[in-house]
Amino acid sequence: MLILGPLGFAAPWVLGALVALPVLWVILRAMPPAPKRIVFPGVALLKGLTDKSPIARRTPWWLLLLRLLAVAALILAFAGPIWKPAPRDDATGPLLVVMDAGWAAAPDWAARQARAEAALADAATAGRPAALVMADARPIAGSIAFQPADSLIAALRAARPVAWQSGLVSDASASLADAPRGRLSTLWLADGTDYPGRADWLAQVTGMGPVTVIPPTRALRTLALQDGQMPALILRGTTDDAPQVEAIGPDPQGIPRALAQLTPDAPDTSGGITTRRVAIDLPPELRNRITSFRIQGDAHAGAVVLADDRVKRRKVALVGDPAEQSEAQELLSQVHYLRQALAPTSDLIEGSLGDVLDAAPDVIVLADQVQLAEIGELAEWVDQGGLLIRFGGPRMAGYDRLDQEPLLPVDLRQGGRDIGGALSWGEPRGIKPFDQEGPFAGLRIPDDVTVRAQLMAQPAPDLADKTIAALTDDTPLITRDRLGQGQVVLVHVTANAEWSSLPLSELFVQMMQRLVATAGAAARDDGADDRQQPFWTPVEVLDGFGNAAAVEGLAPVPAAQMAQGPGADRPAGIYVAGERQQALNAGGPITLADWPEASVVGPDATSGRDLMGLLLACAAVLLALDAVGSAWLGRGGRVAAVMLALALLPRPAAMAQELDPDLMRAANEVALAYVVTGDDRIDTASEQGLRGLSATLRQRSSVEPGAPIGVDLDNDDLSLLTFLYWPVTADQPAPSPRAYMRLNAFMRSGGVIMFDTRDGDVAGVGGPDMSDTLQALAAPLDIPPLAPIPEDHVLTRTFYLLDDFPGRWRGNPVWVEAPPVGAQAAEGNPFRQLNDGVSPVIIGGNSWAEAWAIDDDGYPVFPIGSGWEGEEQREMALRFGVNLITYVLTGNYKSDQVHVPALLERLRTEEALTR
């Protein structure tokens, strides 16, 4: 490649043709030889006369310049010019290609692969060894093996970005210990972010030779979830753009799609990174259906936030002490402490049990409640998937039939246990460390949280399996059991400070939020393996582009590594441990990378801009101007030159006809069209009628029409349509001549026009009695001879067998193309040859659109007759409509059935002759 400043040429040898331009100047400038001077006496008679159209002896300089510029543009175009081409590495030593392969590299991954492949191809041509390093945070086994460059191209094409941050975790000096002799050239395709190991590798390769860095070509944006009482999203980006954030979840049909769009708040820029907060301001019902959030228009794992229990807000119902309490007594209420613990993360409702059941909550909390009148309804609610949390208290401890109380996970002893009681202990007890597989795993237990009284459970073989929290003496603090699809949880102490100091601690808030988060999830299996170190199992993961990927081959992740975020063995996704669910999201803070002692080329240098097309276009324009100039100089060429110039001028925007979106839709689906008459009542009836006919076709046939289309004959293109319903009105103006040209072309190309005079209740169209308006409208059309529909016409049997064609009115003839008389007549009919025997025109007056019309709710709009006979007539009108559209779409294939006997006889005769 020849590079001249910012301009490069892929085929520089073609530029040698430029030396021929002076020769072309001489050749093009020459004209036919000058006339010879011959003495002739009669010439004196011509003295004083002038030639009105003199012929130039030489080519004008401006025309010659146009031709030379056109030739020069062609020569330059075929030389392969490239503006700011990618810099070529002319080194002879080994080549190292480093590709950042984290999620931040996904937006322009294809361009990165193309740039790296071009470098490897150049190295292969020069015979240089090369190595490819993917900075995907995976360790490199041993030292890097340099090999022929073309052998790396297959691996490069198969590489894909990963769903975690880029990284180089191996020691750079050890990995490059076996590099071949010679000065190492490094091409680093960066994603623009700083990551672990990058600085060490950069220092190592910089000391071994030149480093060329290709920065990203697109702005980078990430999305992260901000924890807290009111979770929100954090949008970070390298530019000040503020794209919408889509909240994605299943629609009522279960198909994932964008259910809402969230708008970022005001920006805060620091260190080249713009940060915006995105509030998750959605109704609870919609918010709980969200499965992920995604930056609109971005396709990488960092632009996706998978939703877990932190995003959802449960509807929690509190049932306990009466709400009418004085301010001094409020601190004694169990509901007060529950309200303070759950209000930041849940939507609370309070009231009697019967009232809250009608509100369909996710969780119901009963504070020291027994002898419930609605116990049957409550049990049914739990069986269908509800979570019931019950708290103990003096009322339950003093209930004399506590062992018979339903909806308890374990059997209880009457009376409870407290300090100084019959079942007392010497001092308050603390809480035993939580099971690592239970819902409270990882919560820290304060030393000052103690329990003074509790409800005691009856000993049972499965008591330990139902205990999810216990005191230091192994007596249950919280027990749980399944009931159908739901769960019943019992907290063996009160929700206030009467029996323990637990409600006064932050631990109580965390435990209640963990319990509420398990709503809708089954309790753990009996006999589950309790391990000291929990492991998180991936159930849904993403690839580097933010799309769902296969989970196979991924091992469970220790809890200690989950806190480190996504990595090589834990891609972004959803992980579960026991009953808990956690989302690992790739997006997070962005740190921009710096490149000391490296050559950073601009994003435009990654590929360059090909100028061949632009130069060819310039040559075409110059040649067109040359043709105009040549025509201008020729005899009588001025008119031709003006016409040619007008043809070359771009059409004004007002003259350019744009396709109507509805007509564009008609190209992709069967759309029934009607002529817009200007009468709102008639046009509405036409639209409702074709809508009703389209609905009938979708229900009864394989034809699935789209919404009807209104057509303006003077402006709209009819070539995309197949059927046109034309209601005739008395004062309807005639279309323009251009519209009639479109209509004739429409009929010749297979389209069918149905004229409906809508006067079937008066006189109908009846042949020669056709209305004057219809005659005036149809006069410029190429309509073939017409006749009433015969009994054996294809319209009588395309779908239904019909002998009448009623609309809102009936008893009037319907006119179609007359059948040919003899074979010669059939051959002379152009419509029969082009339209497969389909009549291009159907004329009647039965007001079919009003018979087919339905409103937005699917009910008929216009009455027909009275009682059952009217509805039967409406049904027959719909059947005629189905036959009509089937006839329009399929042609006369039904008519071939009458020839089956003759065809079979002919086949038998031919078979006998062949024998």
Side-chain angles (χ1 to χ4, degrees):
M1 175 180 286
L2 176 64
I3 298 179
L4 301 175
L7 187 62
F9 293 92
W13 56 270
V14 179
L15 296 178
L18 292 175
V19 300
L21 290 181
V23 179
L24 290 176
W25 175 276
V26 176
I27 295 176
L28 295 176
R29 188 169 180 270
M31 293 294 290
K36 294 181 179 181
R37 182 180 299 274
I38 299 177
V39 179
F40 179 68
V43 174
L45 299 176
L46 304 178
K47 187 177 181 179
L49 298 180
T50 58
D51 189 355
K52 295 181 179 180
S53 301
I55 300 177
R57 297 185 58 190
R58 296 188 180 276
T59 305
W61 67 268
W62 53 268
L63 187 59
L64 181 59
L65 181 61
L66 284 178
R67 293 173 180 177
L68 291 179
L69 290 176
V71 174
L74 290 174
I75 294 174
L76 293 174
F78 290 118
I82 300 176
W83 182 256
K84 292 184 178 180
R88 297 177 63 88
D89 187 5
D90 297 329
T92 58
L95 171 67
L96 175 65
V97 177
V98 181
M99 284 191 68
D100 289 353
W103 56 263
D108 54 353
W109 184 254
R112 295 168 182 270
Q113 285 180 308
R115 183 65 182 88
E117 183 173 343
L120 292 175
D122 292 342
T125 303
R128 302 166 57 195
L132 175 64
V133 174
M134 305 301 296
D136 55 6
R138 293 189 176 101
I140 300 174
S143 61
I144 299 174
F146 283 76
Q147 52 191 303
D150 54 357
S151 64
L152 300 173
I153 293 179
L156 173 65
R157 292 176 178 175
R160 292 293 181 270
V162 296
W164 54 86
Q165 188 182 29
S166 300
L168 290 166
V169 297
S170 301
D171 181 64
S173 59
S175 299
L176 297 172
D178 295 337
R181 294 182 178 180
R183 196 180 186 194
L184 179 68
S185 298
T186 302
L187 176 65
W188 199 312
L189 300 165
D191 61 14
T193 66
D194 193 11
Y195 52 80
R198 186 193 64 87
D200 295 339
W201 274 75
L202 179 61
Q204 180 67 26
V205 297
T206 302
M208 301 175 68
V211 178
T212 301
V213 178
I214 308 296
T217 59
R218 299 185 184 182
L220 182 63
R221 290 185 289 263
T222 71
L223 194 64
L225 180 63
Q226 182 185 45
D227 294 334
Q229 293 184 348
M230 297 294 292
L233 300 172
I234 301 299
L235 175 65
R236 299 179 176 90
T238 56
T239 62
D240 196 29
D241 297 338
Q244 296 289 309
V245 176
E246 296 179 337
I248 300 174
D251 61 10
Q253 287 73 37
I255 301 174
R257 65 177 184 86
L259 302 180
Q261 289 190 343
L262 307 178
T263 302
D265 294 339
D268 181 16
T269 303
S270 176
I273 304 299
T274 300
T275 303
R276 298 174 183 266
R277 185 178 182 274
V278 184
I280 308 176
D281 188 12
L282 298 173
E285 294 80 2
L286 179 60
R287 181 171 180 166
N288 293 338
R289 290 168 52 192
I290 300 304
T291 58
S292 64
F293 300 91
R294 182 184 293 267
I295 301 176
Q296 191 176 52
D298 284 9
H300 57 84
V304 179
V305 167
L306 298 175
D308 52 16
D309 293 330
R310 294 172 293 176
V311 176
K312 296 178 173 58
R313 288 183 65 88
R314 309 287 186 180
K315 183 187 294 185
V316 180
L318 304 180
V319 180
D321 302 331
E324 298 83 6
Q325 299 187 29
S326 65
E327 184 176 354
Q329 294 177 329
E330 185 176 357
L331 296 179
L332 303 178
S333 171
Q334 296 194 43
V335 175
H336 169 75
Y337 292 89
L338 294 171
R339 186 185 304 118
Q340 295 298 316
L342 296 175
T345 58
S346 305
D347 296 316
L348 300 182
I349 55 175
E350 299 183 33
S352 64
L353 181 58
D355 294 336
V356 299
L357 281 172
D358 294 336
D362 300 305
V363 183
I364 294 180
V365 183
L366 301 181
D368 194 18
Q369 300 291 309
V370 293
Q371 292 182 293
L372 299 169
E374 300 87 353
I375 194 67
E377 298 178 19
L378 182 60
E380 182 179 357
W381 174 82
V382 175
D383 183 71
Q384 294 176 356
L387 172 60
L388 174 63
I389 303 176
R390 303 187 68 169
F391 279 84
R395 188 179 292 110
M396 293 187 69
Y399 184 44
D400 56 358
R401 294 194 299 275
L402 186 60
D403 57 343
Q404 302 176 11
E405 175 69 15
L407 294 183
L408 289 174
V410 296
D411 295 331
L412 300 177
R413 293 182 181 181
Q414 184 178 351
R417 172 185 178 187
D418 59 5
I419 296 178
L423 298 174
S424 64
W425 56 76
E427 58 184 9
R429 301 294 183 181
I431 299 177
K432 181 180 178 181
F434 297 120
D435 180 8
Q436 294 298 323
E437 286 293 315
F440 309 127
L443 297 183
R444 190 184 67 85
I445 302 174
D447 297 334
D448 58 348
V449 173
T450 58
V451 176
R452 299 183 300 274
Q454 69 178 136
L455 294 176
M456 290 296 296
Q458 294 283 2
D462 59 350
L463 179 60
D465 295 332
K466 295 181 179 180
T467 302
I468 58 177
L471 301 181
T472 53
D473 62 354
D474 287 330
T475 56
L477 174 63
I478 302 177
T479 54
R480 180 177 61 181
D481 195 13
R482 296 179 181 177
L483 178 60
Q485 300 296 320
Q487 306 176 59
V488 177
V489 177
L490 174 63
V491 183
H492 290 241
V493 297
T494 59
N496 57 14
E498 184 177 355
W499 283 14
S500 71
S501 60
L502 176 62
L504 302 177
S505 67
E506 180 66 21
L507 178 62
F508 180 73
V509 177
Q510 297 172 347
M511 293 176 67
M512 289 303 302
Q513 292 177 356
R514 288 280 186 92
L515 282 177
V516 170
T518 65
R524 72 177 185 186
D525 293 331
D526 294 339
D529 183 17
D530 294 337
R531 294 171 285 182
Q532 295 298 322
Q533 179 69 28
F535 284 79
W536 293 80
T537 303
V539 295
E540 177 185 349
V541 296
L542 303 177
D543 61 12
F545 296 105
N547 302 320
V551 185
E552 291 80 3
L554 295 176
V557 181
Q561 296 182 11
M562 289 290 288
Q564 302 174 10
D569 55 353
R570 52 188 186 282
I574 298 292
Y575 293 75
V576 297
E579 303 169 30
R580 290 180 294 156
Q581 184 183 80
Q582 181 178 349
L584 275 186
N585 293 309
I590 304 175
T591 302
L592 298 179
D594 57 345
W595 302 94
E597 301 182 14
S599 174
V600 181
V601 301
D604 295 338
T606 57
S607 59
R609 181 179 180 181
D610 190 355
L611 300 180
M612 176 180 285
L614 179 62
L615 289 173
L616 290 176
C618 291
V621 172
L622 291 172
L623 292 175
L625 294 176
D626 173 74
V628 174
S630 300
W632 180 272
L633 295 176
R635 292 183 177 272
R638 288 173 172 76
V639 176
V642 171
M643 296 179 62
L644 182 59
L646 292 176
L648 293 175
L649 288 176
R651 298 178 63 187
M655 296 175 60
Q657 180 180 2
E658 297 183 359
L659 284 178
D660 187 281
D662 289 334
L663 292 176
M664 296 176 65
R665 174 172 57 84
N668 297 323
E669 61 186 13
V670 178
L672 308 183
Y674 63 92
V675 174
V676 176
T677 63
D679 189 323
D680 293 341
R681 183 180 63 85
I682 300 299
D683 294 342
T684 301
S686 299
E687 192 274 335
Q688 292 174 334
L690 295 187
R691 187 202 310 162
L693 179 57
S694 299
T696 302
L697 287 167
R698 286 192 294 269
Q699 294 171 359
R700 306 186 186 184
S701 71
S702 61
V703 182
E704 298 183 354
I709 298 174
V711 173
D712 183 355
L713 295 178
D714 291 335
N715 299 313
D716 292 337
D717 185 6
L718 306 180
S719 61
L720 303 177
L721 305 175
T722 56
F723 175 78
L724 187 61
Y725 176 78
W726 191 336
V728 179
T729 59
D731 53 352
Q732 184 175 356
S736 65
R738 186 182 184 88
Y740 280 114
M741 293 176 61
R742 289 199 189 102
L743 289 169
N744 286 324
F746 170 71
M747 292 190 294
R748 289 194 181 94
S749 61
V752 175
I753 302 176
M754 184 179 193
F755 289 97
D756 189 353
T757 58
R758 304 175 301 100
D759 57 354
D761 58 330
V762 181
V765 297
D769 297 329
M770 184 181 300
S771 66
D772 295 338
T773 303
L774 178 59
Q775 291 181 10
L777 290 176
L781 297 177
D782 297 332
I783 297 179
L786 303 178
I789 297 179
E791 296 180 356
D792 60 345
H793 196 272
V794 182
L795 268 175
T796 63
R797 57 180 182 274
T798 51
F799 197 90
Y800 293 103
L801 296 178
L802 302 176
D803 56 4
D804 191 14
F805 314 102
R808 192 178 184 188
W809 324 116
R810 69 186 315 165
N812 300 289
V814 179
W815 297 74
V816 296
E817 179 185 358
V821 180
Q824 184 176 3
E827 294 175 357
N829 189 338
F831 291 106
R832 181 164 297 274
Q833 295 175 7
L834 294 175
N835 296 4
D836 194 21
V838 177
S839 175
V841 174
I842 300 174
I843 300 176
N846 289 336
S847 191
W848 287 285
E850 295 180 357
W852 300 331
I854 60 173
D855 58 16
D856 294 338
D857 297 325
Y859 293 102
V861 177
F862 299 94
I864 297 180
S866 61
W868 170 251
E869 292 183 357
E871 293 307 313
E872 183 181 15
Q873 182 174 335
R874 190 189 307 278
E875 172 62 22
M876 298 306 294
L878 289 172
R879 293 187 179 187
F880 168 63
V882 173
N883 275 22
L884 173 64
I885 302 304
T886 306
Y887 170 67
V888 171
L889 297 178
T890 62
N892 64 347
Y893 82 102
K894 279 284 188 177
S895 64
D896 292 339
Q897 295 180 0
V898 300
H899 304 298
V900 168
L903 292 174
L904 292 177
E905 182 62 28
R906 181 177 179 181
L907 289 175
R908 295 192 193 101
T909 303
E910 291 178 354
E911 184 178 3
L913 292 175
T914 56
R915 293 178 181 176

